[in-house]
Amino acid sequence: MDVERKVVEADDDGRVRTGPRDVVVCGLAQYAILWGTMVGYTITTATSIMAVARTDCRHHRGHDAACASSGTVYMVAFGVVEVVLSQFPSLEKLTIISVVAAVMSCTYSFVGLFLSAAKLASNHGARGSLLGVKIAAGVSASTKTWHSLQALGNVAFAYTYSMLLIEIQDTVKAPPSENVTMKRASFYGISVTTIFYVSLGCIGYAAFGNAAPGNVLTGFDEPFWLVDVANIAVVVHLVGAYQVYAQPIFACYEKWLGSRWPDSAFFHHEYAVRLPGCAVRFTMCKLVLRTAFVAATTVVSLMLPFFNAVLGLLGAIAFWPLTVYFPVTMYIAQAKVAPGSRKWVALQALNVGALLVSLLAAVGSVADMVQRLGHVTIFQTQL
C-alpha cells in the first residue's frame, strides 16, 4: 500500500474525528519534531565523533591528557554528507536502512549498558543518592529544578515515535490486520524499551553518581576500542536516520511548491548525473532547496550545542500533541465516549497531565539552554 495514500487516509480520518484545526496543529507539531530531531542528530553525531577522538587521544597520551577538540568541523562534515544523501530519492523506503539502524542501535545501547555495569561492579558499591545532586556551591536550587524538568523531556523524547507510525505501519503485511500487528508490536516494543532504558538509566547513575554524563558513552575511555565501536555505531545509525526524518519534510514542501508553479522548470525539469552503477536524477528545486535546508539545520545545530537540552525540548514539544492529545481526541470521537462519563474524565485528566509535563519539560530545557549560553561560545561545540 502506498505511503502517500495512507497519509491521505490518516489525514482524512483525522479531519473527520477531530476537525481541520487539530489536523493543522498536529501537522505543524509533527514537522517541527522531525526538523528538531534532525538538529538533535547533528549535535549527537558531532558529540560521538568527538568522543572517539578524545578516547583515542587519551589511550595514547594518558587518561589525564586534556585532548580537547571542537565539534564544529564534525558538524559541518556531517551536513555535507547529508546534503549529498538528500539528493537520492526515497531513501526512507530502503529496508537496509532500517536493518542497519536496528543493528547499530542495539550495538551502542548494549555496549553502554555493559560498560556501566562493569564500572558499577568495579566501584564495589552504588554512587549517587536518591535525591540526586545536592544543592550547594556550584549547584543552585534553580539549576537542579531545570535539570529535573529537562529530564522529563528526555524521557518524553525517548517515547515519541508517533510521527513515524504511518511509515512503520506501511511495511506491515496482512493478515493479520495492520491494526492488530501494530498493537502487538507497540506493546512488546514499549515493554522492552522501558525495561532497557530504566536499567541503563539506573545502572548508569549508580556507576557514575552525580557525575553521570548526559551521553553515558562519553564517560568511558577504556576499553578504547569498545567505546569507539559504540560511538561509531551511533554515527552510522544517525547518518541514515537523518534522511528518514528529512525526506517527509522535503516531500511536503516540494509537492506544495510544484503544485503552485506547475510549469516552472525549476521545480519539474529533471537533470541526470551518471555514477558508477547508477544514475542520480534531480531537479534544481531539490538541489538548491534541500541543500539550503540542510545547511540551515546545521547552522542551528552549531548555535545550540546542548545534547540533553535539545533532546528535552524536542520531547516536550512533541509529547503532548502527537503522543497524547491527538490520539486521545480521535479515540473519544471514534469510540463515542460520552462527555462527563468516568472514561471521558479519565482521558481528559490524562490530556491535562501530559500537557503539564510537556510545559514543565519545555521550561526546564529552555532555562538550561539560557544558563549554558552564558558559559559556552556559539559555534564551538565541546564535550
Side-chain angles (χ1 to χ4, degrees):
M1 187 178 293
D2 184 73
V3 174
E4 183 176 354
R5 181 163 66 86
K6 292 183 70 65
V7 172
V8 172
E9 289 175 354
D11 182 70
D12 290 342
D13 186 58
R15 293 178 187 278
V16 171
R17 303 295 182 188
T18 63
R21 185 181 64 179
D22 285 343
V23 172
V24 172
V25 171
C26 287
L28 292 175
Q30 181 177 11
Y31 285 112
I33 191 64
L34 287 174
W35 176 74
T37 303
M38 294 164 62
V39 173
Y41 282 0
T42 304
I43 298 172
T44 306
T45 301
T47 302
S48 296
I49 299 175
M50 292 166 62
V52 171
R54 188 184 67 177
T55 300
D56 291 348
C57 172
R58 288 183 175 178
H59 177 72
H60 292 95
R61 298 184 182 180
H63 296 295
D64 295 329
C67 295
S69 63
S70 173
T72 303
V73 174
Y74 301 133
M75 280 197 190
V76 173
F78 180 74
V80 171
V81 171
E82 296 303 336
V83 166
V84 175
L85 292 179
S86 69
Q87 301 305 315
F88 290 82
S90 304
L91 283 180
E92 78 282 4
K93 297 179 181 178
L94 295 180
T95 304
I96 186 63
I97 291 183
S98 298
V99 174
V100 171
V103 173
M104 295 299 104
S105 181
C106 290
T107 298
Y108 62 73
S109 297
F110 279 106
V111 168
L113 182 60
F114 169 77
L115 292 176
S116 296
K119 182 174 178 61
L120 175 60
S122 66
N123 292 338
H124 303 292
R127 297 183 177 179
S129 62
L130 185 62
L131 298 179
V133 181
K134 295 182 179 179
I135 298 175
V139 180
S140 63
S142 60
T143 299
K144 181 173 180 177
T145 301
W146 303 142
H147 286 181
S148 298
L149 296 178
Q150 181 192 120
L152 293 176
N154 292 143
V155 174
F157 178 81
Y159 285 98
T160 301
Y161 60 96
S162 52
M163 59 278 195
L164 296 176
L165 279 180
I166 293 176
E167 285 79 2
I168 294 172
Q169 186 169 333
D170 184 60
T171 65
V172 177
K173 295 181 179 180
S177 66
E178 296 173 348
N179 184 39
V180 172
T181 303
M182 288 301 294
K183 283 184 178 179
R184 188 182 305 160
S186 297
F187 173 78
Y188 288 116
I190 291 177
S191 299
V192 171
T193 52
T194 298
I195 295 173
F196 185 83
Y197 287 160
V198 170
S199 300
L200 181 56
C202 292
I203 294 176
Y205 181 70
F208 288 97
N210 296 335
N215 180 354
V216 69
L217 291 176
T218 62
F220 299 99
D221 291 326
E222 296 291 346
F224 81 99
W225 62 269
L226 187 58
V227 177
D228 285 354
V229 167
N231 281 297
I232 292 172
V234 173
V235 175
V236 174
H237 177 193
L238 298 188
V239 166
Y242 185 101
Q243 289 300 318
V244 173
Y245 285 83
Q247 291 291 330
I249 300 178
F250 297 153
C252 179
Y253 72 72
E254 286 170 3
K255 182 178 180 180
W256 181 80
L257 292 173
S259 62
R260 188 75 181 273
W261 289 279
D263 300 324
S264 173
F266 181 79
F267 299 105
H268 300 283
H269 182 72
E270 285 193 345
Y271 301 87
V273 175
R274 297 190 177 279
L275 299 176
C278 66
V280 179
R281 297 182 177 275
F282 61 91
T283 62
M284 290 303 298
C285 169
K286 291 182 179 180
L287 181 62
V288 175
L289 297 185
R290 291 189 180 189
T291 300
F293 189 89
V294 174
T297 301
T298 305
V299 171
V300 172
S301 303
L302 289 167
M303 295 175 64
L304 299 173
F306 316 122
F307 178 79
N308 274 356
V310 170
L311 295 188
L313 183 59
L314 294 177
I317 293 173
F319 178 67
W320 178 70
L322 297 181
T323 308
V324 181
Y325 172 74
F326 196 48
V328 167
T329 303
M330 289 186 67
Y331 174 77
I332 290 175
Q334 183 180 30
K336 298 181 180 179
V337 179
S341 64
R342 290 184 179 180
K343 194 172 187 178
W344 183 88
V345 171
L347 291 172
Q348 294 302 336
L350 176 62
N351 256 333
V352 174
L355 175 60
L356 183 61
V357 169
S358 286
L359 291 176
L360 292 175
V363 171
S365 299
V366 172
D368 185 58
M369 286 184 183
V370 173
Q371 285 186 345
R372 289 177 181 271
L373 283 173
H375 305 285
V376 301
T377 304
I378 295 179
F379 299 113
Q380 290 186 7
T381 306
Q382 296 180 346
L383 285 175

